[in-house]
Amino acid sequence: MTSASAPRPGVSNLVLVGPMGSGKSSIGRRLAEHFGLRLADADREIESRAGCSVNQIFESEGEAGFRTRERATLAELLQDEGLVLATGGGAVLDAANRSLMRERGFVVYLQAGVDQQLQRLAQDRTRPLLAHGDRERILRGLAEVRAPLYAQVAHLQFDTDGHSETDTAEHLARLLEVHWPFAAACRQRSIPS
């Protein structure tokens, strides 16, 4: 399913939101290459600034400490123009983040069902929220809370289930060329496989 709403005119940032395992970082890289934009991964930026991993931040500061760092990082990154920003799955929990993302970017919600997430994250041990407990139950609980927020902030919703990252990026790039006014001004490049 794909749906779109009108963005603020002149927005040159592309912001990817969605649950963990939806492909925000990998698809973001391909979209940045396609449109000739700079890629920023919010979690990697937070790690770089903190000098430690997201897991270590969660362990030492808790989720609240991480969310404070995330809010400051998003605010700084979105001062730039011409950026593809891959956000963390929980970035939408903060109302100020949602408002900023929508104001400073064209927001795409990459949808992924829990079964798809479980498959994509099967070997991933870097997610603090999945470190303890039943992964499926945790992912379903996160989806219940976060899916409405992703939908609320999104200008475009795109279902990634059952598609490779390459196919998703190619299809999404074509949709962006139709729905994101800034895409027409970007230098077109082919998406690498």
Side-chain angles (χ1 to χ4, degrees):
M1 178 183 116
T2 303
S3 62
S5 66
R8 183 176 59 82
V11 170
S12 67
N13 294 320
L14 182 63
V15 179
L16 303 179
V17 300
M20 60 182 93
S22 61
K24 297 181 299 289
S25 297
S26 55
I27 292 166
R29 180 177 40 80
R30 287 177 161 85
L31 292 172
E33 291 170 4
H34 178 81
F35 290 112
L37 302 173
R38 182 173 72 87
L39 174 67
D41 182 302
D43 285 351
R44 300 301 74 83
E45 291 282 339
I46 293 165
E47 289 177 334
S48 174
R49 294 163 191 219
C52 60
S53 71
V54 169
N55 275 336
Q56 290 168 318
I57 296 169
F58 265 74
E59 286 173 15
S60 64
E61 301 175 19
E63 186 172 359
F66 175 78
R67 297 296 170 207
T68 298
R69 289 176 181 271
E70 181 178 58
R71 186 178 316 110
T73 300
L74 290 173
E76 186 176 324
L77 289 171
L78 286 171
Q79 292 307 305
D80 285 346
E81 297 287 338
L83 178 72
V84 175
L85 176 59
T87 65
V92 296
L93 295 171
D94 184 282
N97 287 349
R98 293 193 306 273
S99 177
L100 180 66
M101 287 187 282
R102 220 171 139 81
E103 177 186 321
R104 298 286 304 153
F106 183 87
V107 184
V108 177
Y109 168 17
L110 296 179
Q111 300 166 311
V114 170
D115 290 340
Q116 187 76 48
Q117 288 178 272
L118 287 167
Q119 181 181 340
R120 291 177 181 167
L121 299 169
Q123 303 304 314
D124 190 332
R125 299 294 176 246
T126 65
R127 314 288 178 147
L129 295 178
L130 296 181
H132 308 287
D134 180 323
R135 285 179 159 222
E136 181 175 355
R137 183 185 56 74
I138 292 167
L139 290 172
R140 290 196 189 286
L142 291 173
E144 187 176 319
V145 170
R146 296 176 178 185
L149 300 175
Y150 297 136
Q152 177 189 49
V153 74
H155 294 103
L156 178 71
Q157 298 182 43
F158 186 83
D159 189 348
T160 67
D161 277 0
H163 303 287
S164 71
E165 292 170 357
T166 301
D167 288 346
T168 298
E170 288 175 354
H171 188 166
L172 184 51
R174 287 192 298 271
L175 285 173
L176 287 167
E177 289 165 6
V178 172
H179 295 288
W180 180 33
F182 184 77
C186 293
R187 183 167 47 115
Q188 299 300 308
R189 298 180 181 177
S190 61
I191 296 178
S193 3

